[in-house]
Amino acid sequence: MLKQHVNIETQIQNLIVLIQSSALSSAQKEDLSCRLRLLQTSHISTLCAQSSKAITSTNLRYILCFLINMDVPDIALLFHVDTGSVYSARYRLRKLFAQEPVMPF
């Protein structure tokens, strides 16, 4: 469990660095970084434990972006992918959590 908390914290910090070095506006960078800092690792860890398979680092980054309500075009810009790839990632993640009645993303 501690290992998962450390992984989540690491991914949050990596996303903050990625956001700060992106082409987003200064206001967006500050807002998204602030939202990421407010996430609780224990809450995310509990969420990840409910998935039907192990959560990869890439999937965890997508989950974090979805949890802070980041816009799909901004996620695509951040990860250098097409917006369709972001929608596909969301779909794949929903399938991992198929047993849950309400999805947080």
Side-chain angles (χ1 to χ4, degrees):
M1 191 66 125
L2 180 63
K3 182 181 176 184
Q4 188 169 15
H5 282 286
V6 171
N7 185 30
I8 293 168
E9 281 294 327
T10 302
Q11 292 305 322
I12 289 172
Q13 293 305 318
N14 287 344
L15 267 178
I16 290 172
V17 169
L18 196 58
I19 288 169
Q20 294 301 323
S21 64
S22 71
L24 298 171
S25 71
S26 297
Q28 283 180 304
K29 289 178 183 181
E30 188 58 37
D31 181 46
L32 294 172
S33 296
C34 190
R35 287 192 228 171
L36 279 169
R37 287 187 193 99
L38 292 174
L39 290 175
Q40 296 178 349
T41 56
S42 59
H43 202 82
I44 298 165
S45 180
T46 303
L47 175 70
C48 291
Q50 295 173 357
S51 72
S52 60
K53 294 182 183 176
I55 301 293
T56 65
S57 296
T58 302
N59 284 341
L60 182 57
R61 278 185 239 127
Y62 277 110
I63 289 170
L64 293 171
C65 290
F66 296 141
L67 287 175
I68 64 170
N69 294 319
M70 194 173 190
D71 294 331
V72 170
D74 293 340
I75 296 171
L77 176 72
L78 197 65
F79 295 150
H80 304 288
V81 296
D82 187 50
T83 55
S85 297
V86 178
Y87 289 116
S88 295
R90 180 180 283 165
Y91 176 77
R92 281 185 280 113
L93 287 170
R94 283 187 177 153
K95 286 181 73 173
L96 284 178
F97 295 94
Q99 294 82 12
E100 296 303 312
V102 178
M103 294 307 304
F105 42 86

